[in-house]
Amino acid sequence: MSEADAATLTGEVWDVVVVGGGNAALCAAIEAAETGARVLILEGAPRDYRGGNSRHTRNFRCMHHGALGPLVETYDEEEFWADLLRVTKGETDEALARHAIRTSETCLPWMQAHGVRFQKSLSGTLSLDRTNAFFLGGGKALVNAYYLTAGDLGVTVAYEATVRHVGIEGARATHVEVDYQGERLTVQGRALVLAAGGFQSDLDWLARAWGPAAKNFLIRGTPYNRGVVLKDMLDHGAETVGDPTQCHAVAIDGRAPKYDGGIVTRLDCVPFSIVVNKDGQRFYDEGEDVWPKRYAIWGRLVAAQPDQVGYSIIDARSIDLFMPSVYPPVTADTIPALAEKLGLPVEAVEQTVATFNAACRAGEFHPQQLDGLATEGLDPPKTNWARPIAEPPFYAYALRPGVTFTYLGLKVDQTARATGPEGPYDNIWSAGEMMAGSILGQGYLAGFGMTIGTVFGRIAGQEAAAHVA
Amino acid sequence: MSLDVSLQTDPGVIATDPVEEARRQVEICNACRYCEGFCAVFPAITRDKVFADGDITQFANLCHNCRGCYYACQYTAPHEFELNLPRALASARAESWERLAWPGGLARLFQSRGDALAAALIAGFALLFAVIAALPGEGEGFYAYLGHGAMVAIFAPAFLLPLAALGVSLRRYWREVGGGRLALPDWREALLAAGRMRNLNGGQGQGCNFEKAERFSDARRHVHQAVLYGFLLCFASTSSGTVLHYLFGMEAPYGVFSLPKLLGVPGGILLVVGCAGMLALKAKADPALGTPGRSSGERAFIWLLGFVGLSGLLLYAVRGTGLTGPLLALHLGSVLTFFLLTPYSKMAHGFYRMTALLREAQDKRERAGG
Ligand SMILES: Cc1cc2nc3c(=O)[nH]c(=O)nc-3n(C[C@H](O)[C@H](O)[C@H](O)COP(=O)(O)OP(=O)(O)OC[C@H]3O[C@@H](n4cnc5c(N)ncnc54)[C@H](O)[C@@H]3O)c2cc1C
Ligand code: SF4
Ligand code: SF4
């Protein structure tokens, strides 16, 4: 693979300049290069961290009729669409969404043909083996495969190349300004594909949108998605979609790294626990539903608590019921000692646990299903798995909101073309997280981020190449 | 139902102790599981939530250092989790061989120091030259230089005593990893896995990431197969000679179309080609993903094994000439050294690997309720 010096970047007018180096960017670059176009990838991250949030993924959601790759049975358009409608509560563009859904079926073989390998659904995720195709080795292996393929096709890649500004005249992009190897370069291209992700790693932006609490959020993915290009396009008056104040946040282990903690920081103990805030008070029904359906709302719930932190407390009977966090629990033989270790008000925690325990009633406890074992006369109630926290040792995990992505993005049409103040741009396309708000206006459907990136990345690459052909 | 969470480590605290460090990384992998399809290690990890020392020893010996999980990992340095599972398991693996070796201490020396191994080889040469000079020959071919009786007197104990020492080590291993009674299907499963080097095929036959970084390649599997089958053929050749000698009264030298030669010549060629290939691949591979501090011992061992094969072939080529005497001393000296160092050199890995595959087959069967 050719890794470029500054003179290479500025030495020619590229056919297609791709901004970003994740899944969407790579799909676009590969499609364009396969038509013979001269393609340049400008990736803001260093090589070790290339691939944005895509390097943290594990699967993509894929329509199919009958077994396909690792996928079993059938997952058809209507079912896929119904799933999407449910999670977005209608905040989606039906034509675009259906287009993504339909095209996903041809993506899987395309991905295989370009080096991606699949594996059967991971242990503990059996419920996804019909809907989501898992990447062997995860998203970083996928990203590696695409970089190799792109390199073999002659695509030039510049790492640590941060695009600061898109030069636009009328409806035409003329160039981009890039910080590269200590210089500000002007790179020219006949077509531009923007695939630089969301803005969730710019904490100041998050704080402006969400409030100062956002400074305490953890960012689950790459620190390089800071929305620089998105902001620049907003300044150009590009049309946007998606709620500019919202982000997708889940509850993760409070000790996770500030950035890039990825999948391993998830915490699955909440349904079997009580969760208290830093004042030692409960604030929501921990047993409302099974965890895969609830982990996303807990991000917001914890974000709304003082200091954006919660503490999930369980007893010895529950410690083996879930995948342990990658962080060891805080452990103590009594509730007061546990509260002490957590730095919580001891009496308040004791009181909360005692009140909860007193509200539990007899009944069958079934960890794997909604067991209806609910508290009585407690506010807020716990409506399933309400079993007294009584048997030492006691364990606790801290919870914090972990941001996955932001919803604000560029508005595109079915050809992935972005829209300016005077209608569609002549030569700017966008793909992936950067335009996903068109389809995922709220909520999230597991694996759909990579579907959107693959479908629209490929379209953007084809369209951009056709434009310069 | 309780879980000993006190075994859990802090993922952010990198340990210097090999077992502790491997445990830290294995716990991260268990929370991630993205690499499940590469090899047998990950499915074995997912069968538990916390890991005792014996579990780590077992994972370490199951890992074939294919490196797929390194290049696929989103947590490699500069990420603060600094995942490098191939290296962490290699470290714990080497540590386990050195700890379990009997008598202790010798393994550490020969695993880590190529010069020690070279010195042992020279001692082996010297001994054989001295023996050949001192004892009268009796018979034809190379028996004219060293009589059959003398050969047996030297090589029978040199072969059997190290095997006994290895047996002690493998028993310790079995106890440490909690092994139980083996069933026939376990043997079949383990032999198939070893015979095909299944854990080097990347899970789907695409190969491993040993020498080409992110690209998959089958080169290492192929050269390792050459070494393994070359070695087994050479061993079969010697065994067939023994059988011919004792059961049929047919004494060496054997002709071209005799069993010992039909097995030994291709075996020797495979062994030499395989060892040369192995050294070439090792030179290309990133040492940061291998066993820290053992590469000199590993390389020296491959040279030794290759030399055993090469000198055997040459010995056959120069038969009937005056070179037979010196070459015989060189060949037998290298064989002697190779035998005696088996429990303490990289050669031991084959035995531990096979034992780990057996334990894996057994554990999988037992947990599936079989
Ligand atoms: C922990 C985690 C797990 C996830 N798991 C899944 C999953 O299993 N399945 C799924 O479908 N989705 C998953 N997602 C969501 C998924 O990651 C995204 O939907 C998808 O990766 C978006 O791809 P993308 O190419 O648009 O953006 P990214 O992959 O984030 O790529 C953006 C790229 O732009 C670069 N960039 C940013 N700014 C600039 C700039 N100014 N100049 C140059 N380059 C720039 C970045 O460095 C990066 O390379 C997960 C997200 C996270 C955080
Ligand atoms: S090596 Fe990395 S990607 Fe693979 S399972 Fe372990 S943590 Fe996950
Ligand atoms: S190096 Fe290869 S064999 Fe070892 S754990 Fe990783 S994937 Fe498995």
Side-chain angles (χ1 to χ4, degrees), chain A residues 61 75 77-101 436 438-446 448-449 452:
Chain A
R61 189 170 285 256
Y75 186 50
E77 181 179 338
E78 289 315 312
E79 188 182 358
F80 200 147
W81 167 244
D83 285 343
L84 182 64
L85 210 53
R86 187 166 36 74
V87 297
T88 58
K89 304 200 164 66
E91 289 284 314
T92 179
D93 174 328
E94 177 160 0
L96 272 187
R98 282 191 183 268
H99 190 52
I101 290 171
S438 310
I439 297 173
L440 271 173
Q442 71 161 290
Y444 183 60
L445 191 56
F448 205 35
I452 294 172

Side-chain angles (χ1 to χ4, degrees), chain B residues 135-200:
Chain B
L135 298 179
E138 43 177 69
E140 281 183 74
F142 43 71
Y143 292 145
Y145 298 88
L146 187 62
H148 183 258
M151 252 190 231
V152 171
I154 296 172
F155 282 94
F159 176 64
L160 294 173
L161 290 179
L163 280 189
L166 255 179
V168 173
S169 301
L170 294 180
R171 266 181 66 95
R172 288 179 178 173
Y173 180 91
W174 201 247
R175 207 166 304 141
E176 182 167 315
V177 304
R181 276 183 80 86
L182 287 166
L184 207 56
D186 302 339
W187 284 96
R188 193 172 51 222
E189 170 88 10
L191 283 169
L192 272 178
R196 296 187 187 151
M197 296 271 143
R198 208 188 275 154
N199 287 297
L200 277 183

Side-chain angles (χ1 to χ4, degrees), chain A residues 56 118-119 123 144 261 320 325, chain B residues 8 34 37 49 71 75 204:
Chain A
H56 283 290
F118 291 93
Q119 61 186 347
S123 50
N144 287 343
D320 205 11
S325 162
Chain B
Q8 259 195 296
Y34 286 7
K49 293 179 180 172
Y71 293 104
Y75 299 117
Q204 303 183 347

Side-chain angles (χ1 to χ4, degrees), chain A residues 372-439:
Chain A
L373 192 57
T375 52
E376 236 168 31
L378 190 67
D379 184 40
K382 183 174 180 189
T383 49
N384 286 288
W385 309 295
R387 181 166 71 170
I389 312 259
E391 211 168 281
F394 301 99
Y395 304 99
Y397 297 94
L399 295 171
R400 281 195 184 276
V403 179
T404 322
F405 55 81
T406 45
Y407 288 102
L408 177 67
L410 299 177
K411 183 171 164 49
V412 300
D413 60 18
Q414 285 213 24
T415 65
R417 197 192 303 244
T419 311
E422 271 101 51
Y425 288 112
D426 285 350
N427 62 345
I428 305 179
W429 288 264
S430 180
E433 210 61 76
M434 213 170 168
M435 47 62 74
S438 310
I439 297 173

Side-chain angles (χ1 to χ4, degrees), chain B residues 256-294:
Chain B
V256 185
F257 294 108
S258 65
L259 209 47
K261 289 293 177 287
L262 285 175
L263 294 167
V265 173
I269 293 172
L270 275 176
L271 196 55
V272 172
V273 170
C275 287
M278 201 67 123
L279 286 168
L281 292 181
K282 255 195 185 325
K284 280 198 239 166
D286 184 350
L289 276 59
T291 326
R294 308 300 193 286

Side-chain angles (χ1 to χ4, degrees), chain A residues 95-315:
Chain A
L96 272 187
R98 282 191 183 268
H99 190 52
I101 290 171
R102 266 180 236 134
T103 318
S104 68
E105 190 168 28
T106 57
C107 283
L108 194 145
W110 184 87
M111 295 162 81
Q112 285 176 318
H114 293 85
V116 177
R117 289 179 174 274
F118 291 93
Q119 61 186 347
K120 68 179 183 6
S121 117
L122 302 180
S123 50
T125 62
L126 207 61
S127 56
L128 294 173
D129 66 353
R130 194 170 60 85
T131 54
N132 291 50
F134 284 76
F135 317 131
L136 177 65
K140 185 164 170 202
L142 170 139
V143 163
N144 287 343
Y146 282 158
Y147 273 102
L148 287 174
T149 303
D152 292 347
L153 288 167
V155 172
T156 302
V157 179
Y159 297 109
E160 296 182 73
T162 308
V163 173
R164 295 283 170 201
H165 176 65
V166 180
I168 300 179
E169 279 171 22
R172 272 197 87 71
T174 50
H175 65 277
V176 293
E177 287 177 22
V178 194
D179 282 346
Y180 191 56
Q181 299 179 342
E183 285 178 82
R184 174 70 54 96
L185 306 178
T186 298
V187 173
Q188 291 176 288
R190 283 187 268 274
L192 191 58
V193 175
L194 304 179
F199 68 84
Q200 66 278 2
S201 303
D202 183 347
L203 291 180
D204 293 329
W205 189 343
L206 270 191
R208 283 196 300 278
W210 183 287
K215 298 268 181 186
N216 280 332
F217 292 179
L218 304 174
I219 310 302
R220 299 174 67 211
T222 181
Y224 297 95
N225 286 359
R226 302 173 52 82
V228 177
V229 184
L230 182 61
K231 172 79 173 46
D232 187 62
M233 291 303 289
L234 299 185
D235 292 345
H236 280 299
E239 270 195 50
T240 61
V241 286
D243 187 336
T245 68
Q246 289 305 310
C247 57
H248 180 265
V250 307
I252 60 172
D253 195 300
R255 293 161 290 185
K258 185 75 183 169
Y259 293 99
D260 255 337
I263 189 86
V264 302
T265 61
R266 66 153 182 247
L267 201 52
D268 299 341
C269 58
V270 168
F272 309 117
S273 74
I274 60 167
V275 179
V276 302
N277 61 17
K278 74 175 257 232
D279 301 324
Q281 304 301 327
R282 289 178 63 244
F283 50 89
Y284 198 81
D285 177 2
E286 300 88 349
E288 192 173 50
D289 206 338
V290 293
W291 189 237
K293 294 201 179 150
R294 279 293 162 270
Y295 72 98
I297 73 160
W298 275 87
R300 284 152 186 277
L301 290 170
V302 174
Q305 295 305 309
D307 288 353
Q308 294 71 51
V309 63
Y311 299 90
S312 177
I313 299 174
I314 56 170
D315 73 358

Side-chain angles (χ1 to χ4, degrees), chain B:
Chain B
M1 206 190 302
S2 203
L3 193 70
D4 186 5
V5 290
S6 67
L7 285 171
Q8 259 195 296
T9 62
D10 183 332
V13 180
I14 291 152
T16 46
D17 174 65
V19 174
E20 201 57 17
E21 175 58 8
R23 181 171 11 243
R24 181 187 76 87
Q25 299 198 21
V26 160
E27 285 173 357
I28 294 175
C29 291
N30 201 21
C32 167
R33 304 187 169 182
Y34 286 7
C35 293
E36 214 162 82
F38 278 129
C39 69
V41 175
F42 294 95
I45 289 174
T46 60
R47 292 201 283 268
D48 282 305
K49 293 179 180 172
V50 294
F51 307 98
D53 289 2
D55 299 322
I56 300 300
T57 304
Q58 167 66 8
F59 301 148
N61 280 279
L62 207 49
C63 166
H64 288 48
N65 199 241
C66 84
R67 306 179 171 201
C69 65
Y70 175 83
Y71 293 104
C73 185
Q74 65 274 30
Y75 299 117
T76 52
H79 193 285
E80 64 193 86
F81 287 164
E82 283 196 35
L83 254 281
N84 184 343
L85 194 65
R87 185 179 182 84
L89 292 182
S91 234
R93 188 159 62 236
E95 189 273 340
S96 76
W97 300 337
E98 287 158 18
R99 179 165 41 79
L100 296 167
W102 181 80
L106 279 178
R108 172 86 219 199
L109 179 67
F110 292 111
Q111 297 280 0
S112 54
R113 298 194 48 178
D115 53 357
L117 210 136
L121 180 60
I122 291 168
F125 291 156
L127 185 75
L128 262 292
F129 273 109
V131 169
I132 289 174
L135 298 179
E138 43 177 69
E140 281 183 74
F142 43 71
Y143 292 145
Y145 298 88
L146 187 62
H148 183 258
M151 252 190 231
V152 171
I154 296 172
F155 282 94
F159 176 64
L160 294 173
L161 290 179
L163 280 189
L166 255 179
V168 173
S169 301
L170 294 180
R171 266 181 66 95
R172 288 179 178 173
Y173 180 91
W174 201 247
R175 207 166 304 141
E176 182 167 315
V177 304
R181 276 183 80 86
L182 287 166
L184 207 56
D186 302 339
W187 284 96
R188 193 172 51 222
E189 170 88 10
L191 283 169
L192 272 178
R196 296 187 187 151
M197 296 271 143
R198 208 188 275 154
N199 287 297
L200 277 183
N201 81 1
Q204 303 183 347
Q206 78 274 33
C208 71
N209 302 78
F210 188 70
E211 78 287 357
K212 285 194 179 160
E214 287 100 349
R215 267 184 219 277
F216 293 102
S217 147
D218 250 333
R220 180 141 172 272
R221 189 151 61 113
H222 290 151
V223 297
H224 195 295
Q225 295 289 51
V227 175
L228 173 67
Y229 286 106
F231 176 78
L232 290 177
L233 284 173
C234 291
F235 190 73
S237 154
T238 310
S239 309
S240 69
T242 312
V243 169
L244 292 180
H245 185 101
Y246 286 106
L247 289 187
F248 300 96
M250 294 163 65
E251 289 192 12
Y254 302 107
V256 185
F257 294 108
S258 65
L259 209 47
K261 289 293 177 287
L262 285 175
L263 294 167
V265 173
I269 293 172
L270 275 176
L271 196 55
V272 172
V273 170
C275 287
M278 201 67 123
L279 286 168
L281 292 181
K282 255 195 185 325
K284 280 198 239 166
D286 184 350
L289 276 59
T291 326
R294 308 300 193 286
S295 69
S296 148
E298 287 176 358
R299 267 200 312 273
F301 170 72
I302 302 172
W303 277 102
L304 171 63
L305 194 56
F307 185 82
V308 169
L310 186 67
S311 56
L313 287 175
L314 287 177
L315 189 59
Y316 183 51
V318 302
R319 65 191 179 282
T321 75
L323 285 172
T324 303
L327 258 177
L328 184 69
L330 291 178
H331 179 62
L332 292 182
S334 66
V335 172
L336 182 69
T337 310
F338 169 77
F339 277 171
L340 288 175
L341 292 191
T342 289
Y344 316 110
S345 65
K346 184 74 195 271
M347 187 62 197
H349 87 279
F351 295 85
Y352 285 103
R353 178 81 77 230
M354 188 59 206
T355 313
L357 288 169
L358 280 167
R359 169 63 187 146
E360 166 63 10
Q362 177 194 53
D363 192 44
K364 212 163 56 179
R365 175 177 53 77
E366 284 177 355
R367 302 232 204 169

